[in-house]
Structures are given as C-alpha cells and as structure tokens.
Amino acid sequence: MKELRVAIVGATGMVGQEFIKVLEQRKFPMKEVYLYASDRSAGRKMSVNHSYIEVKETANDSFNNIDVALFSAGADISKQFSPVAAKSGAVAIDNSAAFRMDETVPLVVPEINADDIKGHKGIIANPNCSTIQMVVALYPLHKVNPIKRITVATYQ
C-alpha cells in the first residue's frame, strides 16, 4: 500500500489520541501526519511515530494534499470541514453523528459492510461506538438466522 498523507481533526481529544495509537500500532503507511484541533489546542505538540508534531487550528486550507482525514471533533466541526476535505481530494472519515443519517454518505462498519465504502463521494460515516460493538457481535448470528428487530438502551 502506498504511503498516505493523514490529517486527524480533533487530535487532542480522547478519540483523536486513540486514532494516533491505532495508526501506530497497525503500522498504517503514513507518509505525513497533520494534527488539527480548536484554537485552544493549537501549538501543542504531540508524539506520532516517535516524532513530535505541532497541532494546528483546523481551517479551510488544512486539507490541501491530504489523502485521508479522520474526524472526531464533534458534529458541527465535521459538518463544516468534512465537505472541505472531500472537495480538496481527501477521503473524510467521520466519527461524529453529522452524516450518519445522510443517505448520500455510506455508514460503514468495516467488519460488516466494507463494500459500501466503494460508493462514497468523499465522506464516510461510522455508527455510534455502542452500535458498532453490538452489530459486530450480532452480525454472525444474523447471517445464520436473520434478526428482524433489536431493542437497545444505552446509558452513555
């Protein structure tokens, strides 16, 4: 796989930090990494693959020459900047609720419907964290005996 230029929006938050850990653990082929957050976090330095990278404030020009932009900075930020990233040529993968109900954006859990990624138009959404865990566990059962309805309550 070719090395990719990756932007992480919401890099200083818990999920953003987890993005970094997972990318490092899986040795994701990153040519360059750009870290973005709010103006409050701009200037902070974070370690990625044994290098320190300065966090910058997310802006419209943040996605020039980016291949993949991972978003976990809230729905408002995703709604504002995911289309900008997509228009710049990046694939925006959004972890907020911003695009989950948008029929033009594929809602993907890779273990279940990775093929839906092929239909993206620059933005890919993922379900809520508790939903992902539930469907990954239930999908093998569904393949054997189709599940017709699930009633769930979460207390987050």
Side-chain angles (χ1 to χ4, degrees), residues 63 66-71 78 81-95 99 102 104-108 116-125:
F63 308 100
I66 295 295
D67 299 304
V68 177
L70 302 174
F71 282 82
S78 290
F81 289 110
S82 291
V84 173
K87 189 175 181 183
S88 296
V91 175
I93 301 174
D94 182 42
N95 190 46
F99 299 99
D102 186 326
T104 67
V105 175
L107 183 65
V108 177
D116 288 0
I117 292 171
K118 294 174 188 169
H120 81 80
K121 295 179 179 114
I123 302 173
I124 300 168

